[in-house]
Every structure is written in C-alpha cells, then in structure tokens.
Amino acid sequence: MTSDDDRAAGSGPLSGNAAQIGAVLACALASLVTMTIMAEKLGAPPRSLDLAIAGFVLLIVLILAWAARSPDGDTLATGGALPTAAAAWAGFGALAPFGLLVSMMSWQYELGFDGLAFVLGPLAGLVLSGVLVSPYLAGSGAHSVASFLGLRFGRTARLLAGVTSLGVALLVAAAGLAATASLAADHLVPAHAAVALAALTALVITLPGGMASASWTSLALSMLALGAILGTATAVAVVRDGPQLPQIAYGAALAAVSGLERTMLEQGLANAQSLKPFTRPFLQIGETSFIALVVSLAAGAAIAPPHLARALGATDRRAARAGTAGALVIAFLLAITLPALATYAKREIYRPVADKTTLASLPESWENPSRDGKVRIHGVSLALFEAVARATGGGAADRTAIGAALAAESQRLAADWAALTEPVRLLLVDKARATPPNEPATSWKAYREQLLPALAPLSGNKQGVLALAAIDIDPAAAIVNLPVSVGLPHVAASFFTAGLMAAALAMAAAALAAAATALSSDVLGTLSGAAPDTPPGGLGFRLSLATMAGLSAGVAAWAGPAALAGLVPVALSTAGAALFPALVLGILWKRANARGAVLGMMTGLAVAIYYCAGVVMFPVDFSETWATLSNASPAAMSKLANLSATVAAAPDEAARLATRAALEAHARGSLWSPGTANWIGVTPLASALFALPAALAVMLVVSLVTPRPNEPQRAFLDKIRKGRRERKPGALPADRY
C-alpha cells in the first residue's frame, strides 16, 4: 500500500499508485516469462522470442511515458516529486555509470581486479551526493544544477554550468543510445537502423512529460534491468556451482578462474602476453590511476545532471536523502553482482582452453557471436568466412575483388581481411569456395571442422587445440553470451539482453531530458535574460529535446559504443572537476562568492581538458614539456628520445609518418596505462584528480580576496538550509503537478 505521506509527496497521475503499478509490472513480466518458456519448448524461433520480449519492454515504457505526461515546466525539468521507493528506482536508473552495464562488465572482464574502480567510483559518488548535494538541492526551488548555481552565484556561473551540463548529458545520452543500438543490432534489427530506432524510442519516452516521463520509465526499466541481471547471475551460479546466491558463489568462481589460469600456463596454452592474471591487483591499471579513477568517477557521479534531477524534484531534504539512500542500496546490490557475472564469463572462456578442446570441437555457444564477428579464432570469424563465401559465390576471383566486396558489405570485415597474411587468405578463399553461401548450418560446420584445423598450423598452432592467444573475443559478447554458454535456454539470454538494453535506454532517456533542460533553460534561457528559477517552457523544452535526440544519435552513430564508453568517464571527470567544488562550497560555505565560483569552474575545466587532451592528442609534446612529472622509467624516456631522433632522420615522408606513429603510440600508451605522457602515472580518464584541487584552491582564494556574497545570495543560502521547498503563489500543490 502507498502511504499517506507518499501520496502527499507524489506528483502526477502515477504517484499515488506506485505500488499497484509495480505489482502490475511484476505480474506482466511473470506472465511473459511463462509464455516465452512455453513458446520455446513448442519450437518458436529464437528471433521471435527476442522480438516478443523487446516489444513487451517497449510497450511498458510507452504506456508509462504517456501516463506521466505533464505541461508543467518544473515537472518537465525535474520530474516533480515522487514517492520514496519510486524516486530511488528512478534515481538509480538515471545514474550514468550504472547505465553502462555492458561496458562496466566488459571492463571488469578485461581488467579483472582493476575494473573494480568503475564500480567503486559511482558508489562513492552516490554517497557524496546523498550527504553533500542532494538534500540541499531539494529545498532550493531550482530545476537543474545550473539553475541552482545561477541562484547562488549569478548569471555567468549558470551559463558556464549549463554548457558543462549540456556537454556531459549529450555524451551520456549518446553512450546510452550506442549501447542500446549495439545490443539491438546483434539480436533484433540491422545495425544501420539500430541507432535511429534507439534514439526514436528515447525521444518518445521523454517527449510527453520530460523528466517526469523519464523518471517513471527509468523506474520500470531499472527494475527490469536489475531483475534480469540478478536472475541471470543466480541461474548461472546454480548451474555451475549448485544452489547458492551468485554473490556467495563469486569466491569459488574467482578460485576456479585462478586454477584455470595455472592449468593453461602449465600446458603451454597461454603465456605472459596472452594471459593477464584476473585477480592480481594493479596489473593493468596502476595503483595511482586506480585511486584517481575512483575519485574522478565519484565527483562526476555525485553531480551527474540526470541523477540530480531526481533530487531537484524532491519536496524536502528528507525525501531527497531517502531517494538517494534507496538508489544507493539498489546500486550496491548491482555492484556486487557485476564482478560476479564478469568472472563467470571469464571462466566460460577459459574452460574449453584448459580442457584442450580441439578447434574442430569449438563450443556450439560460440556460433552466434562468431557469426556477428565478435569471436575470431586465429584472426578469422564465422562472419568473415561467410562473407568471403558470398563474395566468391558472387564472382570475386582475386584478393582485390574479394576485399572490395567485403568493404561494400562492412568496413569491419574489410579490416579483418586486410589484417590476414597471404597464406591465410588463400586458405580462407579455398575453403569458402567449397561452402555454399547463405546456409548457416553448413557454414558453421565447415568453419569449425575444416577451416580452423587447417588454419592452425599456419598460425603456429601445431596441436590444433584452442589456445588463449588464438582467441580474440569482444568482452561484451562474452558477457551477453554467458547464459547460452552455461546451457540455459534461449529465453534466459533474451531476458538478459533485454535487461541490459533497458538499463542503457533508461540512462539515455534521463540524459536526453537533462540535456534538453540545459539547452532550453540554462543556456538559451540565460542568454535571453530569464531568471534562474524560471522553469523551461513546454514547447521550447520539447524542441530542445528533439534537437538533443538528433545530435546524440549522430554522435552515437559516428563514434560507436566502444569509443563512447571510454568518453563517458572523461565527461564525468571533467564535469565533476568543474561543478563539484562550486556546488559543495556553494552549499556549505557562506563566504563563497560568484567570482570565486566562476574562476573555480573555469580552472577545473581548463586543467581537466588540458591534461586529457595533452595526453591523448599531443602525447609527444606533453612528454617533453612535463618530463619531470612523468612516472616513466629511464628506459622508456630513452626510447622516446631515440624515436624522436629517428623521426628527424627519416629518409622519406612514408618512413617519417610510420616512425611518428610509433613515437606517439609509445608516448600515449593505452587507455588504462599511459605511456611517457602523464603526471605521476595517472590515466587521462581521471583528470579530475588534478583539476579538483586546482578548482577548490582557486575558488577558496578568490572568494576570500573579493567582496562577500550579496544579500539575495545570502538569503538563498539561508533558504536552502531550511530544507523545504517554498511554493510560489498560485503554483499547484506538489501532489497535483
């Protein structure tokens, strides 16, 4: 039952019925699970099951989005007040880092222990938000982070914060759309249509009621996501380790992975280059970078615009704290499950290698991801094999013609073809010519039983068994394919994929609403002279929403999910460096003034952008300028100098370009471990480690040496410390938004 307090605090037609809505959704989901299991047993095609489950999810979110429609500007921007339980689910669904579930699990799969930084950072950010930020925003009357800073520090601070919020929300929305599209392209629709469909869905979700629609749909989608993830983890744990919870079986899975690693090394199936011990700390991300990532992600998550919109919609400090605390509990439950899923996926990849599985007996569960081009054995995927068969069947007779046919079909296939050696290409063409095109069962059998055993000797694999160095698998594919790998029915894999898509879509919808608020109210509104507490107009908000949906779809299609997943930590780190000091000092320190806040935000942005851009875009110049602050070894610096001399002495342009590329790669390093271009070994993803102290110091010093805040700013600070929203004359009560 919904309590009277919750009813009084709620907003919109859905608030008083939150418990009933949850019960209806649970019953509908249970009915769908039952029907799809029965349909699979009756022989329904897997694609039909995927479409049915995706259609159910889409129908639910569209119904909720329409039911939560609102003409009220404040509700469009913040979503209005929600019951505590609903606010917790909606706040969790809008939290940017947890929306990138596939990427987080992929990083955990790839980095092992070091990947925990991407879990600990967002959790710490939720704690900081609940203690230092959210309770005070609830009593401010502001409708965004930028409008809060505008009320506290004035027009310039609002505009600067609005531009920063717009940038981070746009990148988060694009990342959510790209992740949704990537999953949909593998299971539901062609890749070229997936991004457009994801953007259209997110737009339809948010268009009727802005953040109100996004909040209620985030509630449903995050419940589905958590249920799918917990259900999958539990099922995998039961199948592999007996009847126990996945969080408890996690320890046994880690031990099993370590044992499999030892077995592979002892049997010569792995070496130091192909095997990175999964449980060894600070192997791929240094200790300093690990701490820096946690700090940077915590600052960014604490001020993430989509997440804080829920705090701005709360009626008082108590409601804001309760909503954030509930979101933290949900996020913690997820955070202790994600590493377990990544570990289970790693175990399923290691198991056939340690068992010395022959290439002709490749696991059946690898067929679909290999057909999607996500699994390559000795550089060749089933997708490439089938594409070459289609090309040769269409009349392509030589390497150039086959390459052109592959390029017309997919640039990824063309790149895979170009990376092969000539003997491998000749063997691939020979086997492809003997395989009828467009016959999946025949091509899988020919790929596994004929091509791979013949390919092994050419790649130095004389035993003809799976070796770790021979496997090139997309970490996301290893995660998504986990239910099938352990023998669960296809329905389980469909619901797992639907849950991951739901989480990414919830994040994208909330980020789009936050971006539209930033554009329509905080940027354009500030430039037009509107007051900071003026909520966005309905038409302007919806036009901004459509614009942001188009831009984010374009960014998602151009950059792709992998690049955007790496850009989201950068965006959060940069936004945290700019906004976190101004927000916290603006709340806790009466002496903080507008000049200090503006210069502090500018300093935070400048330092964060300088470090990230310097390391990634100008690594050689950065290395030479800041050699004394780099943690690179003398040998690495000596190699840098030698490569620089080689570039200067290159005999021609081609040699100079090739040597220059090697020089920049050496200076830049990897995403996780920078090369010679760094300050004390910190990854560019964590630039807030340097920008936060700089912004804090500038804001403190400037505020102390310039005049105190004016009377309206002091009155606003006194108001937010009272902790309850003041209703404007003539405004609707909270329960009638």
Side-chain angles (χ1 to χ4, degrees):
M1 296 292 290
T2 304
S3 68
D4 293 339
D5 291 341
D6 277 348
R7 289 180 188 276
S11 71
L14 299 179
S15 296
N17 302 304
Q20 293 89 332
I21 290 171
V24 170
L25 289 177
C27 291
L29 184 60
S31 300
L32 181 66
V33 171
T34 303
M35 289 188 293
T36 50
I37 290 176
M38 293 174 61
E40 183 176 8
K41 289 185 177 181
L42 292 174
R47 184 176 176 82
S48 300
L49 299 176
D50 294 338
L51 290 171
I53 293 169
F56 167 80
V57 174
L58 184 61
L59 179 63
I60 290 298
V61 298
L62 291 179
I63 291 173
L64 286 175
W66 180 252
R69 65 191 184 279
S70 172
D72 181 73
D74 188 57
T75 307
L76 286 174
T78 68
L82 298 180
T84 299
W89 282 102
F92 163 72
L95 185 60
F98 281 110
L100 297 174
L101 295 176
V102 179
S103 297
M104 290 180 67
M105 287 187 285
S106 299
W107 292 334
Q108 192 77 53
Y109 173 94
E110 184 178 355
L111 301 172
F113 176 93
D114 297 345
L116 291 174
F118 297 97
V119 176
L120 296 177
L123 282 177
L126 268 177
V127 174
L128 289 174
S129 177
V131 174
L132 298 177
V133 181
S134 298
Y136 300 97
L137 295 187
S140 67
H143 56 267
S144 68
V145 173
S147 70
F148 174 87
L149 291 174
L151 290 167
R152 178 67 173 88
F153 295 119
R155 183 173 183 270
T156 305
R158 180 191 180 193
L159 180 60
L160 186 57
V163 172
T164 304
S165 298
L166 177 61
V168 67
L170 181 63
L171 278 177
V172 170
L177 294 179
T180 305
S182 176
L183 291 165
D186 288 343
H187 298 274
L188 301 173
V189 296
H192 62 273
V195 172
L197 181 61
L200 180 62
T201 304
L203 180 61
V204 171
I205 286 174
T206 50
L207 201 59
M211 189 59 78
S213 296
S215 294
W216 283 100
T217 52
S218 290
L219 183 153
L221 291 172
S222 57
M223 289 178 67
L224 173 63
L226 190 65
I229 291 168
L230 291 178
T232 299
T234 302
V236 171
V238 169
V239 169
R240 289 301 190 205
D241 302 307
Q244 54 183 312
L245 294 174
Q247 295 81 6
I248 297 174
Y250 178 36
L254 284 173
V257 167
S258 297
L260 291 170
E261 289 175 343
R262 288 192 297 270
T263 300
M264 290 187 293
L265 289 171
E266 291 169 357
Q267 295 180 347
L269 300 171
N271 52 38
Q273 287 72 39
S274 61
L275 177 63
K276 305 294 183 184
F278 193 69
T279 58
R280 183 176 297 176
F282 312 127
L283 182 64
Q284 300 184 67
I285 298 180
E287 187 172 359
T288 304
S289 281
F290 185 95
I291 297 171
L293 274 172
V294 173
V295 171
S296 298
L297 289 174
I303 57 87
H307 165 62
L308 286 186
R310 291 301 336 127
L312 290 160
T315 53
D316 55 33
R317 188 178 302 176
R318 178 181 177 184
R321 280 195 176 126
T324 304
L328 181 61
V329 171
I330 300 167
F332 178 76
L333 182 60
L334 182 65
I336 61 176
T337 307
L338 294 182
L341 276 170
T343 304
Y344 297 151
K346 181 69 77 170
R347 181 174 60 179
E348 294 308 313
I349 299 300
Y350 281 173
R351 189 189 297 272
V353 178
D355 290 343
K356 302 188 74 170
T357 303
T358 62
L359 293 174
S361 303
L362 204 66
E364 292 285 350
S365 60
W366 292 17
E367 178 182 356
N368 286 333
S370 185
R371 180 167 280 117
D372 293 332
K374 303 295 181 65
V375 176
R376 301 175 185 83
I377 307 297
H378 291 303
V380 179
S381 65
L382 179 58
L384 180 60
F385 180 61
E386 291 179 335
V388 172
R390 288 192 294 270
T392 55
D398 56 29
R399 181 181 67 180
T400 303
I402 293 173
L406 294 177
E409 185 171 343
S410 167
Q411 289 299 320
R412 183 186 64 186
L413 293 175
D416 289 347
W417 171 258
L420 300 177
T421 62
E422 189 61 26
V424 172
R425 287 199 195 101
L426 293 174
L427 176 63
L428 177 57
V429 170
D430 181 62
K431 298 297 182 183
R433 282 175 175 159
T435 303
N438 303 318
E439 293 186 13
T442 303
S443 61
W444 167 244
K445 183 176 181 180
Y447 171 77
R448 185 173 66 164
E449 298 179 6
Q450 299 176 27
L451 174 64
L452 293 184
L455 184 61
L458 297 178
S459 303
N461 184 353
K462 298 180 180 180
Q463 300 180 41
V465 299
L466 268 179
L468 195 60
I471 303 172
D472 179 11
I473 184 168
D474 183 348
I479 300 291
V480 173
N481 200 51
L482 178 60
V484 178
S485 298
V486 300
L488 293 174
H490 183 79
V491 169
S494 297
F495 272 104
F496 184 47
T497 303
L500 298 176
M501 289 175 59
L505 192 58
M507 180 190 74
L512 278 180
T517 299
L519 177 62
S520 63
S521 178
D522 298 323
V523 177
L524 298 180
T526 302
L527 294 175
S528 65
D533 57 351
T534 302
L539 179 60
F541 177 87
R542 290 182 170 93
L543 288 175
S544 298
L545 190 62
T547 302
M548 289 298 100
L551 283 175
S552 60
V555 172
W558 171 71
L564 284 169
L567 283 175
V568 167
V570 173
L572 288 173
S573 177
T574 303
L579 301 181
F580 186 77
L583 269 176
V584 173
L585 290 182
I587 291 169
L588 302 181
W589 189 35
K590 287 187 176 183
R591 188 66 173 81
N593 63 18
R595 293 179 183 176
V598 170
L599 289 176
M601 284 192 285
M602 292 176 66
T603 300
L605 277 174
V607 173
I609 293 173
Y610 174 78
Y611 184 72
C612 186
V615 171
V616 175
M617 300 175 65
F618 311 102
V620 178
D621 294 336
F622 194 94
S623 296
E624 295 171 350
T625 303
W626 300 101
T628 55
L629 291 181
S630 175
N631 76 333
S633 65
M637 297 303 294
S638 176
K639 182 177 179 180
L640 181 76
N642 292 336
L643 285 171
S644 297
T646 305
V647 170
D652 52 50
E653 184 66 14
R656 191 188 70 81
L657 290 175
T659 311
R660 179 72 185 183
L663 172 64
E664 291 190 351
H666 175 70
R668 184 182 297 115
S670 68
L671 185 64
W672 317 117
S673 179
T676 58
N678 67 77
W679 287 342
I680 63 173
V682 171
T683 170
L685 298 179
S687 57
L689 184 72
F690 310 112
L692 276 171
L696 281 168
V698 168
M699 188 171 176
L700 286 168
V701 172
V702 174
S703 294
L704 287 173
V705 300
T706 52
R708 293 177 177 272
N710 57 35
E711 181 57 35
Q713 292 172 350
R714 292 198 297 270
F716 173 72
L717 186 58
D718 291 336
K719 170 192 169 184
I720 66 173
R721 290 185 174 183
K722 292 178 182 178
R724 182 169 289 275
R725 181 188 296 270
E726 295 179 5
R727 183 156 49 96
K728 295 180 180 180
L732 292 173
D735 60 344
R736 293 180 56 198
Y737 275 5

